[in-house]
Amino acid sequence: MKVLVVCGGRSAEREISLESSRFVLESLARAGHSTVTAVIGSDGAWTVDGAGVSVDMSKPRWVLSQGGSGIGFDVLFPVLHGTLGEDGTIQGLCEMAGWPCAGAGVMASAVAMNKIVFKELASGAGIPVVPWIEILAGRPAPGAGEIIAGLGLPLFVKPARLGSSVGISRAADAGELEEAVALALEYDELVLVEKA
């Protein structure tokens, strides 16, 4: 099978995506698959072997091409972390393009990416989740003392709509909690604080 591995991206987790793609490419090669790697730059441009690619959208299954030649593949394997990739966007692109895509679909990816929406849906379905609160930039938020009184210590603080590698902190006291929230807000205006 010929696999188009897509990595990089515009997310804060771009470097993690590039590292993960090396493991995926090695695993696919060991399994006997051929691969093409498309790297999405931090500017959003796609390249294969360092040269730009284009998409012909005039056919029911869009054609990815480079220098006028189509780049054929059987399935796209997204190795994108964080926003604009892990959040259902690449999956939606694949659906529009008619490209088979490995992994979860648009809705599952979008729901899983937003940690607060996922917790609300799981909770509503009777699935236990650890106690948590959300903080939204620009809205009044409980202070560190109030959060600790409600959730206890230690706590984990995460950007709610990023992957699981950047902007995440463990807080063992009020000072660490305030620093962790400030760090998470650098990556997302929506922050999840949850009991460890």
Side-chain angles (χ1 to χ4, degrees):
M1 179 178 286
K2 189 169 186 181
V3 181
L4 175 65
V5 175
V6 180
C7 59
R10 294 187 281 179
S11 162
E13 295 187 296
R14 181 175 198 282
E15 294 305 315
I16 296 155
S17 166
L18 295 171
E19 184 62 35
S20 295
S21 70
R22 290 190 262 290
F23 171 76
V24 170
L25 289 164
E26 290 169 7
S27 297
L28 289 168
R30 277 195 307 274
H33 300 290
S34 62
T35 58
V36 174
T37 304
V39 177
I40 302 176
S42 54
D43 61 356
W46 289 40
T47 61
V48 172
D49 296 328
V53 296
S54 61
V55 178
D56 176 358
M57 296 179 274
S58 66
K59 298 173 178 51
R61 180 174 170 159
W62 298 356
V63 177
L64 189 64
S65 63
Q66 187 177 59
S69 298
I71 300 171
F73 58 93
D74 298 306
V75 64
L76 184 146
F77 192 124
V79 188
L80 297 163
H81 294 281
T83 52
L84 300 173
E86 191 177 1
D87 56 0
T89 52
I90 194 79
Q91 295 80 3
L93 170 67
C94 288
E95 281 193 21
M96 289 177 55
W99 299 337
C101 181
V106 175
M107 184 180 288
S109 298
V111 166
M113 185 69 179
N114 187 319
K115 295 167 184 64
I116 291 172
V117 168
F118 182 81
K119 282 181 171 287
E120 289 171 345
L121 290 173
S123 221
I127 299 169
V129 297
V130 297
W132 59 278
I133 64 153
E134 67 182 72
I135 296 173
L136 182 60
R139 286 202 187 155
E146 186 179 346
I147 294 170
I148 292 168
L151 298 178
L153 288 170
L155 297 166
F156 281 100
V157 181
K158 307 170 182 180
R161 297 169 295 199
L162 197 60
S164 301
S165 303
V166 175
I168 297 176
S169 305
R170 182 179 185 275
D173 60 41
E176 288 181 358
L177 177 57
E178 289 171 359
E179 290 174 11
V181 169
L183 175 65
L185 284 168
E186 290 179 21
Y187 296 98
D188 191 353
E189 64 182 14
L190 184 61
V191 171
L192 171 71
V193 179
E194 62 186 352
K195 186 174 180 65

